[in-house]
Amino acid sequence: MKALFLVSPGQLGWLVVVLLAALLWRVGFFTPVAVSIGQLPAIRVALQHRRGAYRLSGKAFEEARKLVPPEARLVGLYYDDPKEGRPEAELRYSAGAVLEGEGVETDPKEWAAMGYEVVELPTARAATCTFPFRGTLSIILAGTRVYPALADFMARSADERAAGAVVEVYDGLRGAVDYFVPLEGSFLLHRERGSTNGDGPGGAGPPPAPAAKKAQ
């Protein structure tokens, strides 16, 4: 007990500051968000199409996580800008898993029985950036830093248009989330009207196809 009194209040305060700074560094508070033009890689995914507030979409990812090995990547597609006035209950998104790696179910019929649709996302030119993925606080920070950076980049890129969704790929092994705004193809996989309650595969449209190249 005497050792506790060897630390002065000032030293204890500095220790708290250092620990807080370390936590903020780990979850991405000090990570610069650099958006650039890159490539969304082609991936095969199983998606469940839903409606509702994006801040509550974590439940869909938790359900998908239970269906794949811990090292498998998860994926989310978000189709609407909440600032454009669509009611929260009608915001469209899809969440699921990337179908790659050992122990991952790949049969579309098996996924359909669990309420998912298997879709091939083609490679596409995209605005992209990466942010740390180390728990809930990282996701909250990403909402306040990544999306404004993507919106600002798109606003400054007068000749670029989004192709229907923002794609998020969660990689637990890397501790990172890769964000993509596809600039070609058709990534609107969730129709305006899907199943009655907005859940399940009923809202899915056809798989996206690469856009035709512009004439030189």
Side-chain angles (χ1 to χ4, degrees):
M1 293 295 294
K2 291 182 178 180
L4 293 176
F5 296 99
L6 297 178
V7 179
S8 69
Q11 291 172 323
L12 183 60
W14 275 111
L15 178 60
V16 171
V17 170
V18 170
L19 292 175
L20 179 60
L23 171 63
L24 292 177
W25 175 83
R26 175 174 172 77
V27 299
F29 186 84
F30 301 110
T31 301
V33 180
V35 182
S36 61
I37 297 295
Q39 202 78 5
L40 169 68
I43 50 177
R44 191 166 185 253
V45 299
L47 298 172
Q48 189 177 74
H49 308 293
R50 295 193 173 198
R51 296 177 189 269
Y54 288 164
R55 56 188 168 80
L56 302 178
S57 62
K59 182 179 178 181
F61 289 99
E62 291 174 4
E63 292 178 6
R65 168 55 65 206
K66 296 176 182 177
L67 302 175
V68 292
E71 65 275 11
R73 293 185 295 166
L74 301 183
V75 60
L77 287 83
Y78 296 86
Y79 306 99
D80 301 306
D81 184 348
K83 296 180 180 179
E84 292 183 350
R86 182 186 287 264
E88 270 197 337
E90 286 297 310
L91 295 176
R92 298 165 298 170
Y93 66 96
S94 302
V98 178
L99 304 186
E100 64 179 13
E102 186 176 352
V104 176
E105 176 62 60
T106 59
D107 186 347
K109 292 182 179 179
E110 293 293 330
W111 281 102
M114 295 184 286
Y116 291 78
E117 180 190 29
V118 173
V119 177
E120 304 280 350
L121 298 184
T123 184
R125 184 169 168 272
T128 181
C129 66
T130 299
F131 197 76
F133 174 42
R134 299 187 179 98
T136 302
L137 189 52
S138 288
I139 301 304
I140 294 173
L141 282 172
T144 62
R145 300 192 59 210
V146 172
Y147 276 87
L150 289 171
D152 181 65
F153 182 88
M154 293 301 296
R156 290 185 287 104
S157 304
D159 296 332
E160 305 290 3
R161 293 291 182 272
V166 176
V167 181
E168 301 178 353
V169 181
Y170 294 80
D171 190 331
L173 292 181
R174 287 171 51 225
V177 183
D178 297 311
Y179 294 83
F180 302 92
V181 180
L183 304 175
E184 60 185 11
S186 175
F187 285 79
L188 186 58
L189 309 183
H190 196 310
R191 288 177 183 162
E192 190 65 22
R193 286 296 171 187
S195 58
T196 302
N197 62 5
D199 294 342
K213 294 183 178 179
K214 296 180 181 178
Q216 300 297 322

